[in-house]
Amino acid sequence: MPSADAAPEPVLPDHKGHRERLRDRARKGGVSALPDYELLELYLFRSVPQRDVKPLAKALLSRFGSLPAVLSAPLEELVTVSVLDGKGRALKVTTDIALDLQLMFEATRRLVAEPLKRTTVIDSWSALMTYVQVTLAHEPREQFRVLFLDKKYQLIADEIMGYGTVDHAPAYPREIMRRALELSASHLILVHNHPSGDPSASPGDIDMTRQIVKAGEPLKIKVHDHLIVGREGVLSMSQQRLM
């Protein structure tokens, strides 16, 4: 069987016709009318110009469960996906294909982050909810982020302060406050995700949050909220009176 890295073969007429038909439908009906597998297939045309990519698009969706989950998947997991194309040849996600998919995700993340840069974060709450959901809802392991805000609640920085496992991300109050002082931040919004999909706060989440709030008090650094993100939604610990 030829390797996936072998020189590309000419596109067969029927396969070329399929690509043109899909592009034509996208032009006439708009890309929003395409189902997820065809949207992904259309995008993969650029990464894999000489092969039938429909099986690969469907394999990616089957493996990760949804288009957002495909785009936010780690590179090391994307490159494990392989499938047989219509001619029985192996077709896998190469590093270049994985990077192309991650570029789409990063562009989307920056797009939804843009409104947060133009006004105070607490006045753009719906934009913040969209941003944290896009960024974290499909992360396969816990990630702890901190949004550092100035006195006017304008965003100074959004930084990852810890990576974890599927059910725990470490957060160190002293490190968070040290970074807040470096950035001259007056307010913080803590954010982390639950890969299980359920954004409910655990006893550990509540205890950790209260430790960070306490660490900020003598420094006059206020923790405005702690958002927990899951595929089922976003929980505000402040609104739930858990901090």
Side-chain angles (χ1 to χ4, degrees):
M1 179 182 293
S3 71
D5 296 325
E9 297 180 10
V11 178
L12 296 175
D14 58 338
H15 181 48
K16 183 178 180 181
H18 167 70
R19 290 193 171 207
E20 289 306 313
R21 287 190 297 272
L22 183 52
R23 289 190 178 106
D24 189 54
R25 283 202 293 114
R27 284 190 291 266
K28 290 180 178 178
V31 293
S32 61
L34 298 178
D36 285 353
Y37 82 90
E38 288 189 337
L39 186 65
L40 185 54
E41 184 183 359
L42 190 63
Y43 186 74
L44 288 171
F45 286 173
R46 291 163 172 75
S47 305
V48 190
Q50 303 290 338
R51 306 283 294 277
D52 177 10
V53 294
K54 182 186 291 185
L56 188 59
K58 289 188 173 182
L60 282 163
L61 290 169
S62 176
R63 166 69 180 276
F64 296 103
S66 68
L67 183 58
V70 170
L71 299 181
S72 58
L75 185 145
E76 59 269 20
E77 292 190 24
L78 286 168
V79 296
T80 65
V81 177
S82 63
V83 69
L84 297 180
D85 66 12
K87 296 180 66 177
R89 301 175 302 172
L91 178 59
K92 67 168 293 185
V93 176
T94 63
T95 300
D96 286 344
I97 294 172
L99 284 173
D100 283 348
L101 293 169
Q102 292 188 325
L103 284 172
M104 186 194 288
F105 174 72
E106 180 60 21
T108 302
R109 192 190 69 81
R110 294 189 187 192
L111 177 67
V112 297
E114 192 61 29
L116 300 178
K117 301 176 182 179
R118 298 197 296 265
T119 185
T120 59
V121 171
I122 60 173
D123 290 333
S124 306
W125 205 248
S126 62
L128 176 61
M129 294 299 102
T130 299
Y131 171 69
V132 298
Q133 282 189 294
V134 167
T135 302
L136 287 172
H138 296 279
E139 270 288 317
R141 56 180 178 152
E142 283 205 13
Q143 185 183 116
F144 193 94
R145 306 176 78 101
V146 178
L147 276 62
F148 297 93
L149 313 177
D150 64 16
K151 292 180 180 179
K152 296 181 179 180
Y153 290 95
Q154 293 180 322
L155 183 65
I156 300 172
D158 168 19
E159 297 187 358
I160 300 172
M161 299 297 292
Y163 283 105
T165 62
V166 295
D167 60 2
H168 176 71
Y172 302 104
R174 183 178 297 178
E175 289 301 308
I176 292 170
M177 293 306 155
R178 179 188 63 79
R179 185 59 177 149
L181 291 171
E182 289 176 350
L183 294 170
S184 299
S186 300
H187 304 275
L188 309 177
I189 295 178
L190 314 176
V191 188
H192 85 279
N193 64 304
H194 283 177
S196 67
D198 180 5
S200 301
S202 69
D205 293 334
I206 295 170
D207 180 62
M208 173 182 63
T209 304
R210 291 174 178 171
Q211 288 183 40
I212 297 171
V213 169
K214 186 176 180 180
E217 288 173 351
L219 304 173
K220 296 185 178 180
I221 298 173
K222 180 176 176 56
V223 178
H224 183 75
D225 206 341
H226 186 168
L227 304 176
I228 303 177
V229 184
R231 292 184 298 278
E232 299 172 11
V234 180
L235 178 138
S236 163
M237 290 184 62
S238 176
Q239 291 178 3
Q240 296 294 317
R241 301 183 184 277
L242 296 173
M243 53 183 290

